[in-house]
Amino acid sequence: MPSTRSTPVPLHYRVFGDGPPLVILHGLFGCWHNWSPVARALSDRFRVLAVDQRNHGESGHAEPLDYERLCDDLRGLLGELGLPRVALLGHSMGGKAAMLFADRFPERVERLIVVDIGPGACPPVHRGAIEALCGLELKAVSRLKDAERLLAPAIPDAALRLFLLKNLARSPAGFRWKVGLEAIRRGYEGLCAALPLRGGPTPALFVCGGRSEALPDADWPAVQRIFPRARRVVIPEAGHWVHADDEPGVLSAVRAFLEGPA
């Protein structure tokens, strides 16, 4: 993974509540809004910052898209806000970014929560979907239903298709992508690669969907070697979007971890 530093991208974020700081990082093709119900629920005890990562949501677009740059962006944001130490929660791509940040800057992370992802390599299962999005002729789209119909052959999973299409927005000239689609396309293989983690003592919670294969049981011993103070909670009826499938289950696990002994 390249180590060359780059100028951080200014990140858009929303703040909920007051108290000890908790930063939430969304997954690929997501944005802060995906986690707003969880952020609002946790705002009774925490100052929750739900962040748009580079090339997503309302944050800036820049290349490359890799975990080193995502960490640089987050470090820049925490410095801007005067937050020397935070609890950090990340889902999927955001979970990998959170793990690398905790590994690189353990003094900045009070507790780490990783949702449905591990530090190892994962298969590039969304390569076909990304290529389909890049190939979508936006001039042929006059309404979202058009885009859904055109993408259906390449992305037959309706839930995934609708999730991806949340990144399509109207503009005076027609529809446009809110995400940095070409940056995602070029960075995708790297985002799927294993993280070069040294390991450390940060208390960590891994929240996994019981119907997801993102962090199989066989990979858990390797995770514990990297994060020896890690524990795992499996949400039985949830898939990869654990927080959407079982929000109460995720909230219960996260609260117990954040409010309990390290």
Side-chain angles (χ1 to χ4, degrees):
M1 183 176 295
S3 59
T4 303
R5 296 297 176 191
S6 60
T7 302
V9 169
L11 299 180
H12 171 263
Y13 60 93
R14 293 292 183 94
V15 180
F16 302 84
D18 198 10
L22 166 65
V23 176
I24 297 180
L25 304 177
H26 60 79
L28 186 66
F29 285 103
C31 67
W32 73 269
H33 193 265
N34 303 143
W35 281 86
S36 60
V38 171
R40 288 188 173 92
L42 294 172
S43 67
D44 62 341
R45 296 289 301 273
F46 301 93
R47 181 189 179 197
V48 185
L49 289 85
V51 176
D52 285 339
Q53 300 189 87
R54 70 163 59 193
N55 295 304
H56 290 77
E58 297 179 49
S59 287
H61 294 183
E63 294 198 54
L65 177 60
D66 60 35
Y67 292 116
E68 290 282 357
R69 273 62 177 204
L70 295 180
C71 287
D72 287 346
D73 295 344
L74 178 58
R75 192 181 186 194
L77 177 64
L78 298 185
E80 173 190 328
L81 297 176
L83 296 175
R85 193 168 171 84
V86 300
L88 185 56
L89 183 157
H91 170 241
S92 197
M93 178 189 77
K96 277 194 163 183
M99 281 185 273
L100 186 63
F101 190 86
D103 190 74
R104 294 288 189 269
F105 311 109
E107 73 283 357
R108 308 293 300 269
V109 181
E110 184 76 30
R111 302 188 189 202
L112 171 67
I113 303 167
V114 179
V115 182
D116 211 58
I117 198 72
C122 49
V125 294
H126 296 309
R127 168 56 69 193
I130 292 171
E131 294 299 332
L133 297 182
C134 291
L136 181 64
E137 181 54 66
L138 294 183
K139 291 180 180 178
V141 176
S142 59
R143 54 181 186 164
L144 286 175
K145 284 288 186 182
D146 295 335
E148 186 180 358
R149 173 179 52 81
L150 292 168
L151 290 172
I155 310 174
D157 185 327
L160 174 61
R161 194 165 64 245
L162 291 173
F163 171 75
L164 295 173
L165 285 174
K166 289 181 180 179
N167 291 288
L168 201 57
R170 290 185 183 275
S171 71
F175 279 94
R176 65 173 181 85
W177 290 110
K178 293 186 286 186
V179 292
L181 194 52
E182 285 300 324
I184 292 173
R185 182 188 201 179
R186 285 188 278 269
Y188 182 59
E189 299 296 334
L191 296 177
C192 294
L195 293 173
L197 301 180
R198 298 182 293 260
T202 303
L205 173 70
F206 286 73
V207 181
C208 305
R211 294 189 284 106
S212 170
E213 299 179 358
L215 183 57
D217 292 344
D219 290 357
W220 183 239
V223 174
Q224 289 184 301
R225 286 193 290 273
I226 298 169
F227 297 103
R229 298 176 70 189
R231 67 188 77 166
R232 180 170 64 151
V233 171
V234 177
I235 309 295
E237 297 304 316
H240 182 58
W241 286 281
V242 190
H243 52 296
D245 292 340
D246 189 349
E247 181 186 319
V250 170
L251 283 170
S252 176
V254 169
R255 283 189 186 278
F257 177 66
L258 290 176
E259 297 173 5

